[in-house]
Amino acid sequence: MLKNKLYIKTWGCQMNEYDSSKIADIMKNELNCQITKSVQKANILLLNTCSIREKAQEKLFHQLGRWKLLKKNNPDIIIGVGGCVASQEGKKILKRAYYIDIIFGPQTFHRLPKMIYNARKFKKYLIDISFPKIEKFKFFPLSKTKKTSAFVTIIEGCNKYCTYCIVPYTRGKELSRSYKDIILEIKNLVSQGVKEIHLLGQNVNAYKYFDKKTNQYYTFEKLLELIAQIKEIKRIRFTTNHPKNFTDELINIYNKIPQLVNFLHLPVQSGSDKILNLMKRQYNIEKYKQIIKKLKNVRPLIQISSDFIVGFPGEDQKDFNDTISLILDLDLDMSFSFIYSPRPGTPASKMKDNTNILEKKKRLYLLQYYIKKQTKKFSFKMINTIQLILVEGLSLQNHKFYGKTENNRIVFFTSSKNYIGKFVNVKIIDANIYSLYGEFISLHKM
């Protein structure tokens, strides 16, 4: 009998990472797959793709070209392409990579075991990039983990249709998981030692589940309260959010749930109302500033990171200057920033763009300069402070233990004892932009 050995390569966001972990769980459970980190040892090769950035297709075909040689030497190898590029391109992928066996979407990877069986049996390619309603979550086996922090997806898709974004077309409309299934998954993770939960969704704070038995809606705020009742969960994070859904009720939850960390990623994309309107972001800068102001009234120590798109069609120097002003005014930290890349089929891809690439690169460099300057400031302010760290592991590079602060810094520290999975107090003695270095002070009892 053929021994299944699975290799998965993942590109993209944390949700793709989560999906890949679930693919591995399903394949181990249903096909008795052995997961391997060696592509040469595998006979099932899966690529979980992301289409957010430009040239995603070229990146895909470069990778498939390397795998083509493996399949030439071993025709029994199954090659599958999944994720957002698969959903976006579908059958067109076969025109340049005819040797692919399976194309699957973000909502259909739970069907992979059957697709692989049929691909082997009938020796023909299979495509399933449909959008079954939240069906995949019903097929997830309970995860096994040795980690202290874990991701849990609570909502799929997006209804916002920002003019630059392809997500609604590749992942579908917003669909929220049952709160009962989410709590069950978290309790399973807790039983294995997980103490920090990171909730995921394209628009996580739009979560809204209707329970037909109780005739009641469960909002994101209600879900957070239910998770906070699990006593073993000491930290709660969530990504990513939309300002439109960041309600006063959600802000006030920070008063009620101490497990919510003092760090929030809240994408703004631009500091210009004109550009936000062209992006169809459904809020203005004043609304965004009010959210941050209210949050800091509730949590004075909270730090905010964001996303920025530079060089969006129609952006002029004033619009860009407004973005820099916003970064400085709000003291934003650790933000992600990119040059706008047109995605096929989106409204923005048809907009007139008068800014040349050199000017866009110049603006990106300047924006990232200010962001890094502020990130460095926050990091260096932490020197000589005592930080509470959830210890995640031992670094093979520097042989130091490591874990995260509440404000999302990695801390490396020395300790004579192994405290992996526990909270410890660490004194910060040195810093660089993104990480800190410290020494163990004491075990923290929670």
PDB file of all heavy atoms in Angstrom, residues 251-281:
ATOM      1  N   ILE A 251     -15.048  48.585  21.974  1.00  0.00           N
ATOM      2  CA  ILE A 251     -14.081  49.370  22.756  1.00  0.00           C
ATOM      3  C   ILE A 251     -14.304  49.167  24.251  1.00  0.00           C
ATOM      4  O   ILE A 251     -13.353  48.965  25.023  1.00  0.00           O
ATOM      5  CB  ILE A 251     -14.181  50.863  22.378  1.00  0.00           C
ATOM      6  CG1 ILE A 251     -13.692  51.078  20.940  1.00  0.00           C
ATOM      7  CG2 ILE A 251     -13.372  51.728  23.353  1.00  0.00           C
ATOM      8  CD1 ILE A 251     -14.003  52.442  20.372  1.00  0.00           C
ATOM      9  N   ASN A 252     -15.557  49.172  24.681  1.00  0.00           N
ATOM     10  CA  ASN A 252     -15.866  49.017  26.103  1.00  0.00           C
ATOM     11  C   ASN A 252     -15.540  47.630  26.634  1.00  0.00           C
ATOM     12  O   ASN A 252     -15.334  47.452  27.844  1.00  0.00           O
ATOM     13  CB  ASN A 252     -17.340  49.351  26.358  1.00  0.00           C
ATOM     14  CG  ASN A 252     -17.650  50.831  26.170  1.00  0.00           C
ATOM     15  OD1 ASN A 252     -16.771  51.669  26.345  1.00  0.00           O
ATOM     16  ND2 ASN A 252     -18.872  51.146  25.788  1.00  0.00           N
ATOM     17  N   ILE A 253     -15.488  46.644  25.721  1.00  0.00           N
ATOM     18  CA  ILE A 253     -15.125  45.282  26.124  1.00  0.00           C
ATOM     19  C   ILE A 253     -13.720  45.258  26.738  1.00  0.00           C
ATOM     20  O   ILE A 253     -13.413  44.429  27.602  1.00  0.00           O
ATOM     21  CB  ILE A 253     -15.212  44.324  24.902  1.00  0.00           C
ATOM     22  CG1 ILE A 253     -16.667  43.950  24.632  1.00  0.00           C
ATOM     23  CG2 ILE A 253     -14.385  43.078  25.099  1.00  0.00           C
ATOM     24  CD1 ILE A 253     -17.278  42.998  25.646  1.00  0.00           C
ATOM     25  N   TYR A 254     -12.864  46.177  26.292  1.00  0.00           N
ATOM     26  CA  TYR A 254     -11.510  46.246  26.848  1.00  0.00           C
ATOM     27  C   TYR A 254     -11.521  46.587  28.339  1.00  0.00           C
ATOM     28  O   TYR A 254     -10.557  46.327  29.055  1.00  0.00           O
ATOM     29  CB  TYR A 254     -10.676  47.267  26.077  1.00  0.00           C
ATOM     30  CG  TYR A 254     -10.081  46.720  24.799  1.00  0.00           C
ATOM     31  CD1 TYR A 254     -10.829  46.659  23.629  1.00  0.00           C
ATOM     32  CD2 TYR A 254      -8.765  46.250  24.769  1.00  0.00           C
ATOM     33  CE1 TYR A 254     -10.289  46.153  22.459  1.00  0.00           C
ATOM     34  CE2 TYR A 254      -8.214  45.738  23.608  1.00  0.00           C
ATOM     35  CZ  TYR A 254      -8.994  45.699  22.454  1.00  0.00           C
ATOM     36  OH  TYR A 254      -8.457  45.177  21.302  1.00  0.00           O
ATOM     37  N   ASN A 255     -12.613  47.173  28.816  1.00  0.00           N
ATOM     38  CA  ASN A 255     -12.779  47.436  30.247  1.00  0.00           C
ATOM     39  C   ASN A 255     -13.126  46.170  31.009  1.00  0.00           C
ATOM     40  O   ASN A 255     -12.813  46.032  32.195  1.00  0.00           O
ATOM     41  CB  ASN A 255     -13.905  48.454  30.472  1.00  0.00           C
ATOM     42  CG  ASN A 255     -13.376  49.833  30.789  1.00  0.00           C
ATOM     43  OD1 ASN A 255     -12.310  49.968  31.377  1.00  0.00           O
ATOM     44  ND2 ASN A 255     -14.120  50.850  30.397  1.00  0.00           N
ATOM     45  N   LYS A 256     -13.783  45.240  30.322  1.00  0.00           N
ATOM     46  CA  LYS A 256     -14.341  44.051  30.978  1.00  0.00           C
ATOM     47  C   LYS A 256     -13.435  42.824  30.897  1.00  0.00           C
ATOM     48  O   LYS A 256     -13.539  41.918  31.719  1.00  0.00           O
ATOM     49  CB  LYS A 256     -15.700  43.702  30.340  1.00  0.00           C
ATOM     50  CG  LYS A 256     -16.734  44.800  30.406  1.00  0.00           C
ATOM     51  CD  LYS A 256     -18.003  44.375  29.680  1.00  0.00           C
ATOM     52  CE  LYS A 256     -19.036  45.485  29.658  1.00  0.00           C
ATOM     53  NZ  LYS A 256     -20.258  45.088  28.892  1.00  0.00           N
ATOM     54  N   ILE A 257     -12.565  42.778  29.866  1.00  0.00           N
ATOM     55  CA  ILE A 257     -11.790  41.561  29.616  1.00  0.00           C
ATOM     56  C   ILE A 257     -10.299  41.870  29.702  1.00  0.00           C
ATOM     57  O   ILE A 257      -9.692  42.342  28.731  1.00  0.00           O
ATOM     58  CB  ILE A 257     -12.141  40.955  28.233  1.00  0.00           C
ATOM     59  CG1 ILE A 257     -13.633  40.632  28.147  1.00  0.00           C
ATOM     60  CG2 ILE A 257     -11.308  39.711  27.969  1.00  0.00           C
ATOM     61  CD1 ILE A 257     -14.078  40.066  26.816  1.00  0.00           C
ATOM     62  N   PRO A 258      -9.694  41.620  30.854  1.00  0.00           N
ATOM     63  CA  PRO A 258      -8.261  41.899  31.000  1.00  0.00           C
ATOM     64  C   PRO A 258      -7.385  41.020  30.114  1.00  0.00           C
ATOM     65  O   PRO A 258      -6.230  41.365  29.839  1.00  0.00           O
ATOM     66  CB  PRO A 258      -7.995  41.625  32.485  1.00  0.00           C
ATOM     67  CG  PRO A 258      -9.121  40.739  32.928  1.00  0.00           C
ATOM     68  CD  PRO A 258     -10.295  41.131  32.098  1.00  0.00           C
ATOM     69  N   GLN A 259      -7.927  39.886  29.654  1.00  0.00           N
ATOM     70  CA  GLN A 259      -7.135  38.993  28.785  1.00  0.00           C
ATOM     71  C   GLN A 259      -6.848  39.615  27.419  1.00  0.00           C
ATOM     72  O   GLN A 259      -5.929  39.181  26.728  1.00  0.00           O
ATOM     73  CB  GLN A 259      -7.869  37.653  28.580  1.00  0.00           C
ATOM     74  CG  GLN A 259      -8.015  36.818  29.839  1.00  0.00           C
ATOM     75  CD  GLN A 259      -9.385  37.031  30.482  1.00  0.00           C
ATOM     76  OE1 GLN A 259      -9.881  38.162  30.532  1.00  0.00           O
ATOM     77  NE2 GLN A 259      -9.984  35.959  30.962  1.00  0.00           N
ATOM     78  N   LEU A 260      -7.639  40.598  26.997  1.00  0.00           N
ATOM     79  CA  LEU A 260      -7.357  41.290  25.740  1.00  0.00           C
ATOM     80  C   LEU A 260      -6.060  42.076  25.893  1.00  0.00           C
ATOM     81  O   LEU A 260      -5.931  42.903  26.795  1.00  0.00           O
ATOM     82  CB  LEU A 260      -8.506  42.237  25.379  1.00  0.00           C
ATOM     83  CG  LEU A 260      -9.766  41.580  24.822  1.00  0.00           C
ATOM     84  CD1 LEU A 260     -10.911  42.587  24.764  1.00  0.00           C
ATOM     85  CD2 LEU A 260      -9.521  40.997  23.448  1.00  0.00           C
ATOM     86  N   VAL A 261      -5.112  41.823  25.004  1.00  0.00           N
ATOM     87  CA  VAL A 261      -3.780  42.416  25.155  1.00  0.00           C
ATOM     88  C   VAL A 261      -3.794  43.906  24.812  1.00  0.00           C
ATOM     89  O   VAL A 261      -4.688  44.395  24.116  1.00  0.00           O
ATOM     90  CB  VAL A 261      -2.746  41.680  24.267  1.00  0.00           C
ATOM     91  CG1 VAL A 261      -2.604  40.228  24.681  1.00  0.00           C
ATOM     92  CG2 VAL A 261      -3.107  41.797  22.781  1.00  0.00           C
ATOM     93  N   ASN A 262      -2.762  44.595  25.283  1.00  0.00           N
ATOM     94  CA  ASN A 262      -2.612  46.023  24.994  1.00  0.00           C
ATOM     95  C   ASN A 262      -1.909  46.239  23.657  1.00  0.00           C
ATOM     96  O   ASN A 262      -0.923  46.982  23.564  1.00  0.00           O
ATOM     97  CB  ASN A 262      -1.821  46.711  26.113  1.00  0.00           C
ATOM     98  CG  ASN A 262      -2.705  47.075  27.281  1.00  0.00           C
ATOM     99  OD1 ASN A 262      -3.881  47.385  27.115  1.00  0.00           O
ATOM    100  ND2 ASN A 262      -2.158  47.011  28.473  1.00  0.00           N
ATOM    101  N   PHE A 263      -2.415  45.581  22.654  1.00  0.00           N
ATOM    102  CA  PHE A 263      -1.874  45.726  21.300  1.00  0.00           C
ATOM    103  C   PHE A 263      -2.996  45.421  20.315  1.00  0.00           C
ATOM    104  O   PHE A 263      -3.709  44.431  20.459  1.00  0.00           O
ATOM    105  CB  PHE A 263      -0.710  44.761  21.061  1.00  0.00           C
ATOM    106  CG  PHE A 263       0.005  44.998  19.757  1.00  0.00           C
ATOM    107  CD1 PHE A 263       1.006  45.954  19.657  1.00  0.00           C
ATOM    108  CD2 PHE A 263      -0.328  44.281  18.612  1.00  0.00           C
ATOM    109  CE1 PHE A 263       1.668  46.190  18.461  1.00  0.00           C
ATOM    110  CE2 PHE A 263       0.311  44.513  17.407  1.00  0.00           C
ATOM    111  CZ  PHE A 263       1.317  45.464  17.330  1.00  0.00           C
ATOM    112  N   LEU A 264      -3.147  46.281  19.307  1.00  0.00           N
ATOM    113  CA  LEU A 264      -4.220  46.097  18.337  1.00  0.00           C
ATOM    114  C   LEU A 264      -3.733  46.438  16.944  1.00  0.00           C
ATOM    115  O   LEU A 264      -3.087  47.470  16.738  1.00  0.00           O
ATOM    116  CB  LEU A 264      -5.409  47.005  18.683  1.00  0.00           C
ATOM    117  CG  LEU A 264      -6.555  47.016  17.668  1.00  0.00           C
ATOM    118  CD1 LEU A 264      -7.296  45.683  17.679  1.00  0.00           C
ATOM    119  CD2 LEU A 264      -7.514  48.167  17.939  1.00  0.00           C
ATOM    120  N   HIS A 265      -4.050  45.559  15.984  1.00  0.00           N
ATOM    121  CA  HIS A 265      -3.774  45.847  14.578  1.00  0.00           C
ATOM    122  C   HIS A 265      -5.075  46.324  13.936  1.00  0.00           C
ATOM    123  O   HIS A 265      -6.030  45.562  13.812  1.00  0.00           O
ATOM    124  CB  HIS A 265      -3.256  44.593  13.869  1.00  0.00           C
ATOM    125  CG  HIS A 265      -2.835  44.859  12.456  1.00  0.00           C
ATOM    126  ND1 HIS A 265      -1.697  45.556  12.142  1.00  0.00           N
ATOM    127  CD2 HIS A 265      -3.426  44.543  11.268  1.00  0.00           C
ATOM    128  CE1 HIS A 265      -1.579  45.643  10.828  1.00  0.00           C
ATOM    129  NE2 HIS A 265      -2.625  45.051  10.280  1.00  0.00           N
ATOM    130  N   LEU A 266      -5.102  47.605  13.538  1.00  0.00           N
ATOM    131  CA  LEU A 266      -6.317  48.208  12.971  1.00  0.00           C
ATOM    132  C   LEU A 266      -5.964  48.907  11.659  1.00  0.00           C
ATOM    133  O   LEU A 266      -5.530  50.064  11.648  1.00  0.00           O
ATOM    134  CB  LEU A 266      -6.920  49.202  13.968  1.00  0.00           C
ATOM    135  CG  LEU A 266      -8.279  49.788  13.605  1.00  0.00           C
ATOM    136  CD1 LEU A 266      -9.342  48.701  13.500  1.00  0.00           C
ATOM    137  CD2 LEU A 266      -8.709  50.837  14.627  1.00  0.00           C
ATOM    138  N   PRO A 267      -6.143  48.223  10.523  1.00  0.00           N
ATOM    139  CA  PRO A 267      -5.735  48.780   9.231  1.00  0.00           C
ATOM    140  C   PRO A 267      -6.481  50.069   8.880  1.00  0.00           C
ATOM    141  O   PRO A 267      -7.698  50.139   9.011  1.00  0.00           O
ATOM    142  CB  PRO A 267      -6.096  47.665   8.241  1.00  0.00           C
ATOM    143  CG  PRO A 267      -6.107  46.416   9.053  1.00  0.00           C
ATOM    144  CD  PRO A 267      -6.629  46.840  10.395  1.00  0.00           C
ATOM    145  N   VAL A 268      -5.729  51.073   8.421  1.00  0.00           N
ATOM    146  CA  VAL A 268      -6.333  52.328   7.979  1.00  0.00           C
ATOM    147  C   VAL A 268      -6.129  52.531   6.478  1.00  0.00           C
ATOM    148  O   VAL A 268      -6.957  53.121   5.801  1.00  0.00           O
ATOM    149  CB  VAL A 268      -5.780  53.530   8.783  1.00  0.00           C
ATOM    150  CG1 VAL A 268      -4.307  53.736   8.539  1.00  0.00           C
ATOM    151  CG2 VAL A 268      -6.562  54.798   8.472  1.00  0.00           C
ATOM    152  N   GLN A 269      -4.987  52.081   5.928  1.00  0.00           N
ATOM    153  CA  GLN A 269      -4.614  52.096   4.519  1.00  0.00           C
ATOM    154  C   GLN A 269      -4.148  53.447   3.995  1.00  0.00           C
ATOM    155  O   GLN A 269      -3.250  53.522   3.170  1.00  0.00           O
ATOM    156  CB  GLN A 269      -5.760  51.562   3.626  1.00  0.00           C
ATOM    157  CG  GLN A 269      -6.299  50.197   4.015  1.00  0.00           C
ATOM    158  CD  GLN A 269      -5.265  49.082   3.997  1.00  0.00           C
ATOM    159  OE1 GLN A 269      -4.116  49.285   3.623  1.00  0.00           O
ATOM    160  NE2 GLN A 269      -5.662  47.898   4.429  1.00  0.00           N
ATOM    161  N   SER A 270      -4.754  54.538   4.441  1.00  0.00           N
ATOM    162  CA  SER A 270      -4.329  55.874   3.993  1.00  0.00           C
ATOM    163  C   SER A 270      -4.733  56.916   5.016  1.00  0.00           C
ATOM    164  O   SER A 270      -5.717  56.715   5.756  1.00  0.00           O
ATOM    165  CB  SER A 270      -4.962  56.216   2.640  1.00  0.00           C
ATOM    166  OG  SER A 270      -4.666  57.556   2.264  1.00  0.00           O
ATOM    167  N   GLY A 271      -3.993  58.018   5.059  1.00  0.00           N
ATOM    168  CA  GLY A 271      -4.350  59.118   5.940  1.00  0.00           C
ATOM    169  C   GLY A 271      -5.154  60.190   5.247  1.00  0.00           C
ATOM    170  O   GLY A 271      -5.421  61.245   5.822  1.00  0.00           O
ATOM    171  N   SER A 272      -5.581  59.926   4.006  1.00  0.00           N
ATOM    172  CA  SER A 272      -6.320  60.908   3.209  1.00  0.00           C
ATOM    173  C   SER A 272      -7.769  60.472   3.025  1.00  0.00           C
ATOM    174  O   SER A 272      -8.041  59.361   2.563  1.00  0.00           O
ATOM    175  CB  SER A 272      -5.654  61.051   1.836  1.00  0.00           C
ATOM    176  OG  SER A 272      -6.533  61.630   0.897  1.00  0.00           O
ATOM    177  N   ASP A 273      -8.695  61.348   3.362  1.00  0.00           N
ATOM    178  CA  ASP A 273     -10.121  61.045   3.158  1.00  0.00           C
ATOM    179  C   ASP A 273     -10.439  60.825   1.682  1.00  0.00           C
ATOM    180  O   ASP A 273     -11.270  59.986   1.330  1.00  0.00           O
ATOM    181  CB  ASP A 273     -10.991  62.170   3.711  1.00  0.00           C
ATOM    182  CG  ASP A 273     -11.109  62.128   5.236  1.00  0.00           C
ATOM    183  OD1 ASP A 273     -10.855  61.053   5.815  1.00  0.00           O
ATOM    184  OD2 ASP A 273     -11.454  63.165   5.829  1.00  0.00           O
ATOM    185  N   LYS A 274      -9.773  61.573   0.818  1.00  0.00           N
ATOM    186  CA  LYS A 274      -9.998  61.404  -0.623  1.00  0.00           C
ATOM    187  C   LYS A 274      -9.657  59.988  -1.065  1.00  0.00           C
ATOM    188  O   LYS A 274     -10.426  59.337  -1.784  1.00  0.00           O
ATOM    189  CB  LYS A 274      -9.151  62.417  -1.410  1.00  0.00           C
ATOM    190  CG  LYS A 274      -9.357  62.359  -2.923  1.00  0.00           C
ATOM    191  CD  LYS A 274      -8.338  63.217  -3.657  1.00  0.00           C
ATOM    192  CE  LYS A 274      -7.091  62.435  -4.003  1.00  0.00           C
ATOM    193  NZ  LYS A 274      -6.090  63.219  -4.754  1.00  0.00           N
ATOM    194  N   ILE A 275      -8.497  59.494  -0.620  1.00  0.00           N
ATOM    195  CA  ILE A 275      -8.063  58.153  -1.008  1.00  0.00           C
ATOM    196  C   ILE A 275      -8.936  57.091  -0.350  1.00  0.00           C
ATOM    197  O   ILE A 275      -9.297  56.090  -0.992  1.00  0.00           O
ATOM    198  CB  ILE A 275      -6.570  57.946  -0.658  1.00  0.00           C
ATOM    199  CG1 ILE A 275      -5.708  58.925  -1.439  1.00  0.00           C
ATOM    200  CG2 ILE A 275      -6.144  56.507  -0.947  1.00  0.00           C
ATOM    201  CD1 ILE A 275      -5.839  58.816  -2.957  1.00  0.00           C
ATOM    202  N   LEU A 276      -9.311  57.296   0.907  1.00  0.00           N
ATOM    203  CA  LEU A 276     -10.203  56.338   1.576  1.00  0.00           C
ATOM    204  C   LEU A 276     -11.526  56.212   0.829  1.00  0.00           C
ATOM    205  O   LEU A 276     -12.093  55.115   0.724  1.00  0.00           O
ATOM    206  CB  LEU A 276     -10.460  56.761   3.030  1.00  0.00           C
ATOM    207  CG  LEU A 276      -9.272  56.672   3.992  1.00  0.00           C
ATOM    208  CD1 LEU A 276      -9.689  57.133   5.382  1.00  0.00           C
ATOM    209  CD2 LEU A 276      -8.728  55.243   4.057  1.00  0.00           C
ATOM    210  N   ASN A 277     -12.017  57.318   0.309  1.00  0.00           N
ATOM    211  CA  ASN A 277     -13.255  57.287  -0.468  1.00  0.00           C
ATOM    212  C   ASN A 277     -13.065  56.512  -1.774  1.00  0.00           C
ATOM    213  O   ASN A 277     -13.924  55.716  -2.168  1.00  0.00           O
ATOM    214  CB  ASN A 277     -13.717  58.717  -0.760  1.00  0.00           C
ATOM    215  CG  ASN A 277     -15.077  58.755  -1.423  1.00  0.00           C
ATOM    216  OD1 ASN A 277     -16.028  58.120  -0.950  1.00  0.00           O
ATOM    217  ND2 ASN A 277     -15.185  59.482  -2.522  1.00  0.00           N
ATOM    218  N   LEU A 278     -11.924  56.733  -2.460  1.00  0.00           N
ATOM    219  CA  LEU A 278     -11.624  55.980  -3.683  1.00  0.00           C
ATOM    220  C   LEU A 278     -11.448  54.483  -3.395  1.00  0.00           C
ATOM    221  O   LEU A 278     -11.764  53.646  -4.232  1.00  0.00           O
ATOM    222  CB  LEU A 278     -10.365  56.531  -4.340  1.00  0.00           C
ATOM    223  CG  LEU A 278     -10.480  57.905  -5.010  1.00  0.00           C
ATOM    224  CD1 LEU A 278      -9.103  58.418  -5.419  1.00  0.00           C
ATOM    225  CD2 LEU A 278     -11.411  57.833  -6.222  1.00  0.00           C
ATOM    226  N   MET A 279     -10.940  54.179  -2.208  1.00  0.00           N
ATOM    227  CA  MET A 279     -10.762  52.783  -1.807  1.00  0.00           C
ATOM    228  C   MET A 279     -12.073  52.131  -1.352  1.00  0.00           C
ATOM    229  O   MET A 279     -12.128  50.921  -1.171  1.00  0.00           O
ATOM    230  CB  MET A 279      -9.765  52.696  -0.643  1.00  0.00           C
ATOM    231  CG  MET A 279      -8.330  52.995  -1.000  1.00  0.00           C
ATOM    232  SD  MET A 279      -7.307  52.937   0.517  1.00  0.00           S
ATOM    233  CE  MET A 279      -5.654  52.966  -0.199  1.00  0.00           C
ATOM    234  N   LYS A 280     -13.092  52.955  -1.118  1.00  0.00           N
ATOM    235  CA  LYS A 280     -14.385  52.498  -0.594  1.00  0.00           C
ATOM    236  C   LYS A 280     -14.200  51.853   0.784  1.00  0.00           C
ATOM    237  O   LYS A 280     -14.696  50.760   1.050  1.00  0.00           O
ATOM    238  CB  LYS A 280     -15.071  51.518  -1.560  1.00  0.00           C
ATOM    239  CG  LYS A 280     -16.557  51.330  -1.295  1.00  0.00           C
ATOM    240  CD  LYS A 280     -17.145  50.264  -2.198  1.00  0.00           C
ATOM    241  CE  LYS A 280     -18.530  49.868  -1.747  1.00  0.00           C
ATOM    242  NZ  LYS A 280     -19.057  48.707  -2.513  1.00  0.00           N
ATOM    243  N   ARG A 281     -13.480  52.569   1.659  1.00  0.00           N
ATOM    244  CA  ARG A 281     -13.206  52.031   2.992  1.00  0.00           C
ATOM    245  C   ARG A 281     -14.337  52.281   3.995  1.00  0.00           C
ATOM    246  O   ARG A 281     -14.343  51.722   5.095  1.00  0.00           O
ATOM    247  CB  ARG A 281     -11.900  52.639   3.529  1.00  0.00           C
ATOM    248  CG  ARG A 281     -10.660  52.114   2.855  1.00  0.00           C
ATOM    249  CD  ARG A 281     -10.405  50.657   3.166  1.00  0.00           C
ATOM    250  NE  ARG A 281      -9.951  50.467   4.558  1.00  0.00           N
ATOM    251  CZ  ARG A 281      -9.788  49.289   5.124  1.00  0.00           C
ATOM    252  NH1 ARG A 281     -10.088  48.186   4.464  1.00  0.00           N
ATOM    253  NH2 ARG A 281      -9.358  49.194   6.368  1.00  0.00           N
TER     254      ARG A 281
END
